[in-house]
Amino acid sequence: MHQDLHVHTYRCKHAHGDVDKYCEVAQWRGLQLLGFADHTPLPDDKESSYRMYLEELPSYVRRVRAMSKKFDMIRVFCGMECDHFKGVVNFYKETLLEKYGLDYLIGSVHNFPNSDGWSSVWGFKPTTQNLRRYVDHVVDGMETGLYAFIGHPDMFINAFGKWGPNVESACCDMFQASQELNVPLELNMAGYAKYKRGGLARNQVYPCVPFWRTAADYGVQVVINSDAHSPSDVGMYTELGRRFARRLSLVSADLDFLTTLEE
């Protein structure tokens, strides 16, 4: 099944284009399933400089739902990419899933707690202790049971920049939790796209080969997405991602919300 379940719209303020443009490209590229997962608003519009405003949520949902009728060659799903914070888990459950009936949530960690507050995955000090904190925060997200899969779990490599025994040991805790809790991990091709455009050095690229080679040993299930921030990126490099997954013997996830809607 050709799919892309992680695309963003202009509402997050660092992407371009609205839902119809993404659907046009998805249909042109032969995708069968397209899932919108814009950065979720937060109560009181916290961190609204890089996510939609709460007042935009109803129109976002209506706009995405309307695409299912307009584009009959693809199935369109409405989701959200959610930064995992303990304080908003109830908001995600009660507002996003129950009130607005979103099809799925992606659990992502862009920031994780440390002794002084929060560290960014894009610039944390590359110590084993910080990596353990990141992994623990990812596992905490899995344990909520709210997220269909975990977004770009290997994005930390852009800050860490290297793989070794300590990195592997920390990540194995994530792989074990993924397998035991049945929460797939996302093979996110945005890092490769950024590398091709000159935005990342080779040692910062995700998907990170040793990360996924080790994940395969644990039987981790994967979801391959583009993380598109412009219509032209929809489905970009996802075929390459599928070849990558086959080469490492990674197993594609059977996502519950897709199975339910097929019945």
Side-chain angles (χ1 to χ4, degrees):
M1 187 73 73
H2 293 278
Q3 64 187 42
D4 192 349
L5 301 174
H6 188 167
V7 303
H8 296 275
T9 75
Y10 73 89
R11 293 167 183 82
C12 70
K13 306 181 184 69
H14 59 280
H16 308 281
D18 205 356
V19 293
D20 56 337
K21 298 301 182 184
Y22 285 84
C23 290
E24 288 172 6
V25 174
Q27 188 162 278
W28 176 72
R29 286 199 167 135
L31 297 183
Q32 296 161 288
L33 307 175
L34 181 65
F36 287 89
D38 227 332
H39 292 280
T40 183
L42 295 175
D44 301 322
D45 283 328
K46 182 181 179 182
E47 300 175 353
S48 60
S49 62
Y50 52 90
R51 60 181 76 249
M52 73 171 69
Y53 294 115
L54 189 56
E55 66 181 16
E56 294 179 285
L57 180 56
S59 62
Y60 165 77
V61 175
R62 287 196 302 269
R63 191 90 168 102
V64 174
R65 294 299 187 203
M67 294 301 106
S68 297
K69 299 178 181 179
K70 183 176 181 180
F71 292 87
D72 56 1
M73 298 296 291
I74 55 176
R75 298 190 66 184
V76 181
F77 300 95
C78 188
M80 280 283 180
E81 182 178 14
C82 300
D83 283 275
H84 176 61
F85 301 120
K86 283 185 179 294
V88 291
V89 165
N90 286 339
F91 170 79
Y92 292 160
K93 180 178 184 291
E94 296 168 3
T95 300
L96 301 184
L97 293 177
E98 296 176 358
K99 180 179 179 179
Y100 286 98
L102 298 189
D103 297 317
Y104 66 104
L105 304 180
I106 302 174
S108 293
V109 173
H110 296 93
N111 300 281
F112 60 92
N114 62 34
S115 58
D116 300 321
W118 292 85
S119 291
S120 169
V121 174
W122 280 99
F124 68 90
K125 187 176 181 180
T127 65
T128 301
Q129 185 179 35
N130 276 338
L131 184 57
R132 287 282 178 181
R133 288 167 174 159
Y134 166 74
V135 169
D136 288 347
H137 198 58
V138 171
V139 172
D140 186 71
M142 293 182 190
E143 290 174 343
T144 67
L146 286 177
Y147 308 120
F149 55 91
I150 299 299
H152 43 63
D154 55 336
M155 192 170 71
F156 73 87
I157 203 67
N158 74 81
F160 215 82
K162 60 182 178 180
W163 186 266
N166 290 339
V167 180
E168 182 172 346
S169 176
C171 289
C172 285
D173 291 343
M174 185 195 309
F175 302 145
Q176 184 171 345
S178 172
Q179 198 276 335
E180 291 178 352
L181 297 169
N182 195 31
V183 180
L185 303 181
E186 180 189 53
L187 188 64
N188 186 300
M189 299 306 294
Y192 182 75
K194 291 171 185 175
Y195 166 71
K196 294 294 286 185
R197 293 166 182 163
L200 290 177
R202 181 173 289 277
N203 67 336
Q204 297 176 307
V205 175
Y206 58 96
C208 173
V209 175
F211 176 96
W212 291 106
R213 184 179 291 122
T214 308
D217 293 339
Y218 279 79
V220 167
Q221 297 184 58
V222 301
V223 183
I224 302 167
N225 292 318
S226 70
D227 197 356
H229 282 66
S230 70
S232 63
D233 288 341
V234 173
M236 183 67 74
Y237 301 120
T238 52
E239 177 55 36
L240 180 64
R242 285 191 287 272
R243 294 201 300 269
F244 179 97
R246 287 195 296 270
R247 189 168 71 248
L248 297 183
S249 299
L250 289 161
V251 179
S252 295
D254 292 321
L255 298 174
D256 289 344
F257 73 92
L258 297 179
T259 303
T260 300
L261 291 172
E262 287 285 349
E263 295 176 348

